[in-house]
Amino acid sequence: MNPNFLQTPIPYLKGVGPNRADTLKAELGIETYRDLLHLFPNRYLDRTQYYKIAQLQPSGADVQIVGKIIHLKTVEQKRGKRLVATFVDETGQMELVWFRGHKWIRENLKINEPYVVFGRISKYGSTFSMPHPEMELLSEHQQGVKIAMQPIYPSTEKLVAKGITNRVVGKMMQQLFIESKGQFPESLSNSILEELRLISKSEALFNIHFPKNQNLLAKAQFRLKFEELFFVQMQLISKKLLRKQKIKGMPFEAVGEKFTGFFENHLPFQLTKAQKRVIKEIRNDLGSNAQMNRLLQGDVGSGKTIVALMCMLLAIDNGFQACLMAPTEILASQHYTGLKELLGNMDVKIALLTGSTKKSERTLLHNQLENGNLNILVGTHAVLEDKVQFKNLGLAIVDEQHRFGVAQRSKLWHKNEIPPHVLVMTATPIPRTLAMSLYGDLDVSVIDELPPGRKAIKTVHRYDGNRLKVFGFIKDEIQKGRQVYIVYPLIQESEALDYKDLMDGYESIVRDFPQPEYQISIVHGKMKPADKDYEMERFVKGETQIMVATTVIEVGVNVPNASVMIIESAERFGLSQLHQLRGRVGRGAEQSFCILMTGHKLSEEAKTRLQTMVRTNDGFEIAEVDLKLRGPGDLMGTQQSGMLNLKIADIVKDNQILKTARYHALQLLKEDPRLEKEENIPIRKAYSRMMQNKTIWNYIS
Ligand code: ADP
Ligand code: MG
């Protein structure tokens, strides 16, 4: 085969003209033969079976029936018309229905000729109907290629509207296999193929598109999933190796006066074992010649901040500057205040930079950064702006990573001539398999222990009807001197409605908790930062007992005296969000509570989320459930959902394959790091092509 065959632009394929090519590109990103070849079916239908109309069940399944159209009519309905065909076989009659494309269908349908119709069955009254069936004349159907398992390709409304139905995609695929004679270059080595008993690439591609039976389909899927995950791991691992070899880090050899001084005179508590271990791991990295890229995972409240501070002191001891970035202004300013407090009278210059820092202050700050007078900069995304230049940034810490895109992480690298060490801290525990895929290029440290004396938070689920009781409970807690959060959902799509809910809720709370006995703060995204800070401040100082808020307090805020978290419309939050919110309480010595409020209408998934929250406080367990419920894309938040651009593998369901793939990638890179051995040439070719096209990952910096 011509080596460039797969690069052929898709319009060259017989049956694809420029119009279809445009649609394929816009809807599915298909531009070349290779792209089409890698359009894998979502699912398969068993087309060995033919149903009789009398056998049909209202199961919503796709079925295949042989029969004839005996009558066609147009029915007027509220909006537009529908075309209805009466379809019969020897056992009964049903309807075929079209809501679009009437003219074309009317002109092309043949009355009283045997057809094979295929589609999803629904039932209206006593009549079965099949909307927009796939139709083929029985005579043609009998001549066509017989495939037992019918592939169903990813589709969109636009594709169908432009006539690119599943059948048409199937035809294109056939054409592609005819032109290529079904021969495609192998991309794995013989030893891997043999060891794992994988079928060849050509066989796999054939059987993924035209499976002869279930068994071959399973083999094809296994082979292609393995390959996909294998190359992802190759990329991550080699990136990490490369970084360790090539990118010189700035060695922090000295443990100096700042670090020791803090440890001896300012540390307000004993570090937990886990904190000590993590600091040691980080110090090892920093002391070596390589650049650190480490992910620090620790559940909410596990004490990541102090770890961050001690690392920054280490940087200062070695003559470098450090910065700490947080995803929100509130969080950044809380870090700033918190760090200042921890540092006490130590001679460390620290400043805050956010979107609302005044221009005059900003200019001053920029100067101090550039001439090295400032040791630590705390801030939001504002830190990433090009204007912000350091004299010698040695360590960059990113808190609550899931709010930051990977692109932003890489921007940090360019803040210094030699890239600074990077520590990414996240409170969203990431299941191991996912961490392997998302952060395979990072080293990982885990704080798996909470500071002593914490009482497990008690979590309950209450229906809205019990609100008065819940309010009574809040009053008791406030009586005892505690503070309370009441959180409302804020989902972007229904922002206006959500604000209405929030304000309605706020008013009813104000009625039930009248001044002057009760003081209430409110914080939401539409407020000016200064007003938010003011309200936050009042709550932090204990001047108000109730904080009504949208999810802006989701991450990081630390008010140890707050012991009750009420989450309104809890069914609308995702698990990791619920867990984050709950983590706002339980930070002091008192027993804390989390109350999940909902109405009675709950989806099964929402019930699972609520039950999980009630059952456990373990962030890792929650993350596992979350991953199963939502899949990996969502788990990381919208910013990163595009990251795992997998075509066939699913890192939740296929995590066994993932482990195998990682193992083999590690093995290979150990034995033949440059892929020079004869037998690894297929891998090298496939890999370098992927790196050129960035087909696996287009985000890696
Ligand atoms: P997170 O990991 O969620 O960022 P923080 O760093 O905000 O957690 O710490 C949560 C609380 O626990 C803070 O009030 C902090 O002062 C306290 N803390 C952290 N480490 C310890 C420790 N070893 N012993 C006692 N309290 C600690
Ligand atoms: Mg934190």
Side-chain angles (χ1 to χ4, degrees):
M1 186 178 58
N2 169 354
N4 294 325
F5 173 78
L6 287 175
Q7 310 289 31
T8 315
I10 202 74
Y12 286 88
L13 192 74
K14 207 175 132 203
V16 185
N19 283 339
R20 279 188 172 171
D22 286 348
T23 313
L24 285 171
K25 181 174 171 195
E27 295 299 302
L28 297 171
I30 293 177
E31 296 183 66
T32 62
Y33 282 18
R34 172 174 287 110
D35 297 337
L36 180 63
L37 188 63
H38 289 97
L39 178 72
F40 297 138
N42 286 332
R43 59 196 172 100
Y44 299 83
L45 299 169
D46 188 351
R47 292 197 71 166
T48 52
Q49 279 245 42
Y50 296 86
Y51 285 79
K52 297 288 177 210
I53 293 174
Q55 293 174 329
L56 295 178
Q57 298 290 331
S59 63
D62 291 276
V63 298
Q64 179 169 247
I65 309 166
V66 182
K68 295 177 199 171
I69 294 174
I70 54 168
H71 182 69
L72 257 181
K73 67 181 176 204
T74 304
V75 181
E76 298 284 341
Q77 51 188 37
K78 251 192 225 141
R79 273 190 290 157
K81 301 174 208 166
R82 66 177 192 273
L83 184 65
V84 179
T86 308
F87 186 74
V88 301
D89 68 3
E90 65 279 13
T91 68
Q93 77 173 50
M94 62 180 289
E95 289 180 344
L96 309 177
V97 186
W98 293 267
F99 300 95
R100 299 178 301 270
H102 298 184
K103 186 164 172 290
W104 189 87
I105 292 159
R106 254 186 189 282
E107 282 165 11
N108 287 280
L109 277 187
K110 299 201 166 69
I111 305 283
N112 277 325
E113 288 237 18
Y115 271 103
V116 179
V117 301
F118 181 73
R120 189 153 294 181
I121 284 292
S122 41
K123 193 173 187 183
Y124 289 100
S126 59
T127 317
F128 282 99
S129 75
M130 188 184 279
H132 291 261
E134 250 182 58
M135 306 200 48
E136 200 174 13
L137 283 170
L138 183 61
S139 50
E140 286 174 13
H141 180 78
Q142 283 160 342
Q143 283 161 20
V145 187
K146 276 284 142 313
I147 39 170
M149 312 290 300
Q150 151 113 10
I152 304 294
Y153 288 98
S155 183
T156 66
E157 245 174 62
K158 273 228 179 84
L159 280 171
V160 177
K162 299 250 168 137
I164 308 181
T165 58
N166 194 55
R167 221 176 66 138
V168 169
V169 175
K171 286 248 159 79
M172 292 179 195
M173 209 61 85
Q174 279 186 26
Q175 185 59 33
L176 181 60
F177 274 76
I178 292 169
E179 290 187 24
S180 64
K181 306 201 175 62
Q183 293 305 311
F184 303 102
E186 183 50 65
S187 48
L188 293 174
S189 65
N190 276 332
S191 67
I192 290 182
L193 290 175
E194 274 163 29
E195 191 177 336
L196 295 171
R197 298 174 188 224
L198 301 176
I199 59 176
S200 74
K201 178 97 172 201
S202 297
E203 260 184 288
L205 286 170
F206 183 83
N207 281 290
I208 205 79
H209 292 297
F210 312 104
K212 285 187 217 132
N213 55 49
Q214 290 282 4
N215 183 28
L216 276 167
L217 174 59
K219 283 190 170 147
Q221 285 171 326
F222 185 85
R223 144 94 213 208
L224 294 170
K225 284 175 177 180
F226 172 84
E227 173 173 345
E228 183 168 48
L229 294 169
F230 174 80
F231 281 110
V232 169
Q233 290 301 322
M234 286 278 292
Q235 191 165 349
L236 288 168
I237 297 163
S238 46
K239 192 180 167 220
K240 181 160 150 184
L241 291 176
L242 197 74
R243 201 186 64 229
K244 294 217 156 151
Q245 288 162 3
K246 284 244 182 84
I247 305 182
K248 283 237 165 41
M250 295 163 279
F252 293 0
E253 275 147 0
V255 175
E257 165 222 348
K258 298 279 190 283
F259 187 91
T260 335
F262 179 79
F263 191 81
E264 281 168 5
N265 305 320
H266 293 267
L267 195 62
F269 36 65
Q270 281 234 315
L271 294 176
T272 62
K273 268 205 217 89
Q275 285 169 321
K276 281 187 198 157
R277 188 190 63 236
V278 165
I279 291 176
K280 204 184 258 170
E281 286 167 357
I282 296 171
R283 267 176 61 183
N284 276 342
D285 281 4
L286 297 177
S288 78
N289 279 317
Q291 180 222 14
M292 173 175 80
N293 252 291
R294 190 169 275 280
L295 175 69
L296 172 56
Q297 286 195 54
D299 214 339
V300 269
S302 61
K304 295 184 292 294
T305 314
I306 199 95
V307 172
L309 176 60
M310 295 182 71
C311 298
M312 292 195 283
L313 293 175
L314 212 54
I316 301 169
D317 275 340
N318 285 274
F320 292 100
Q321 293 167 302
C323 75
L324 170 62
M325 287 204 308
T328 63
E329 291 212 359
I330 291 184
L331 194 52
S333 55
Q334 194 168 37
H335 267 317
Y336 172 70
T337 336
L339 292 179
K340 259 182 96 115
E341 209 175 293
L342 282 167
L343 288 167
N345 60 3
M346 283 181 69
D347 180 24
V348 173
K349 300 261 172 358
I350 176 169
L352 176 70
L353 175 67
T354 69
S356 51
T357 305
K358 289 205 189 67
K359 196 154 177 236
S360 52
E361 246 177 278
R362 222 172 248 256
T363 318
L364 190 69
L365 233 157
H366 288 171
N367 286 335
Q368 289 179 324
L369 274 178
E370 274 178 66
N371 64 27
N373 282 342
L374 203 60
N375 302 118
I376 297 178
L377 181 65
V378 180
T380 54
H381 291 78
V383 172
L384 293 173
E385 284 169 21
D386 292 331
K387 280 173 291 186
V388 182
Q389 295 290 337
F390 293 81
K391 180 170 180 226
N392 56 359
L393 180 64
L395 171 68
I397 301 181
V398 184
D399 195 12
E400 314 293 356
Q401 147 85 1
H402 60 294
R403 294 288 190 89
F404 276 96
V406 179
Q408 288 161 325
R409 193 168 94 207
S410 82
K411 236 182 161 180
L412 278 172
W413 283 38
H414 303 295
K415 285 273 166 204
N416 211 52
E417 231 160 277
I418 300 176
H421 298 290
V422 176
L423 180 68
V424 169
M425 306 199 294
T426 173
T428 313
I430 302 165
R432 259 189 62 75
T433 50
L434 189 60
M436 251 199 281
S437 307
L438 289 180
Y439 299 113
D441 64 325
L442 300 184
D443 297 304
V444 180
S445 289
V446 182
I447 305 186
D448 49 6
E449 174 187 9
L450 292 180
R454 298 272 173 84
K455 291 199 180 79
I457 303 163
K458 286 192 179 141
T459 304
V460 294
H461 172 204
R462 293 284 178 266
Y463 291 104
D464 290 338
N466 289 324
R467 186 169 303 276
L468 282 183
K469 267 198 186 153
V470 172
F471 279 6
F473 174 75
I474 297 180
K475 284 183 180 160
D476 290 347
E477 287 295 301
I478 292 177
Q479 187 69 38
K480 292 185 203 155
R482 315 271 187 273
Q483 288 165 285
V484 179
Y485 291 107
I486 304 179
V487 176
Y488 286 79
L490 180 61
I491 317 283
Q492 237 138 29
E493 298 92 71
S494 54
E495 204 172 309
L497 264 179
D498 283 342
Y499 275 112
K500 191 175 173 306
D501 282 355
L502 173 74
M503 295 325 287
D504 289 353
Y506 176 65
E507 275 163 29
S508 88
I509 291 160
V510 171
R511 267 196 309 276
D512 274 278
F513 295 86
Q515 286 191 341
E517 197 182 349
Y518 299 100
Q519 299 292 330
I520 304 175
S521 286
I522 179 164
V523 170
H524 59 74
K526 288 208 167 150
M527 290 164 68
K528 289 208 190 86
D531 297 341
K532 271 196 246 182
D533 287 349
Y534 174 76
E535 285 291 312
M536 257 338 277
E537 219 28 62
R538 294 211 305 150
F539 188 67
V540 172
K541 285 191 191 139
E543 292 169 11
T544 60
Q545 297 95 22
I546 300 178
M547 162 61 75
V548 178
T550 51
T551 43
V552 288
I553 60 160
E554 185 187 336
V555 279
V557 184
N558 190 19
V559 183
N561 189 49
S563 67
V564 182
M565 167 63 67
I566 315 274
I567 304 177
E568 296 284 347
S569 304
E571 76 278 8
R572 291 179 56 197
F573 290 90
L575 256 180
S576 77
Q577 249 183 331
L578 289 172
H579 181 61
Q580 289 288 324
L581 285 169
R582 178 169 61 184
R584 297 308 106 210
V585 297
R587 299 189 150 225
E590 308 306 332
Q591 176 64 57
S592 291
F593 303 89
C594 173
I595 305 178
L596 307 168
M597 303 293 301
T598 73
H600 278 278
K601 252 198 191 159
L602 293 173
S603 69
E604 281 310 306
E605 203 192 300
K607 277 185 206 157
T608 308
R609 288 198 299 264
L610 298 167
Q611 284 159 3
T612 307
M613 286 296 293
V614 171
R615 184 183 72 236
T616 179
N617 275 307
D618 179 346
F620 278 91
E621 190 179 337
I622 289 171
E624 293 285 353
V625 176
D626 201 21
L627 184 60
K628 286 200 183 106
L629 287 180
R630 292 203 293 165
D634 272 359
L635 191 67
M636 305 313 296
T638 47
Q639 287 187 8
Q640 292 186 5
S641 60
M643 261 173 76
L644 274 178
N645 190 11
L646 298 177
K647 286 198 157 60
I648 185 164
D650 173 330
I651 54 172
V652 182
K653 292 187 194 127
D654 301 323
N655 78 60
Q656 222 37 50
I657 308 181
L658 170 64
K659 282 181 198 156
T660 313
R662 183 166 175 87
Y663 169 80
H664 282 274
L666 277 167
Q667 235 16 54
L668 177 66
L669 287 170
K670 206 159 79 189
E671 284 162 16
D672 186 13
R674 291 157 173 266
L675 304 176
E676 283 164 337
K677 289 189 187 157
E678 176 76 24
E679 73 148 346
N680 293 328
I681 288 176
I683 298 180
R684 188 176 75 209
K685 281 195 176 152
Y687 185 57
S688 60
R689 206 202 56 246
M690 280 177 216
M691 295 303 279
Q692 267 166 28
N693 298 358
K694 304 205 169 169
T695 35
I696 303 185
W697 261 345
N698 41 20
Y699 80 92
I700 282 193
S701 41

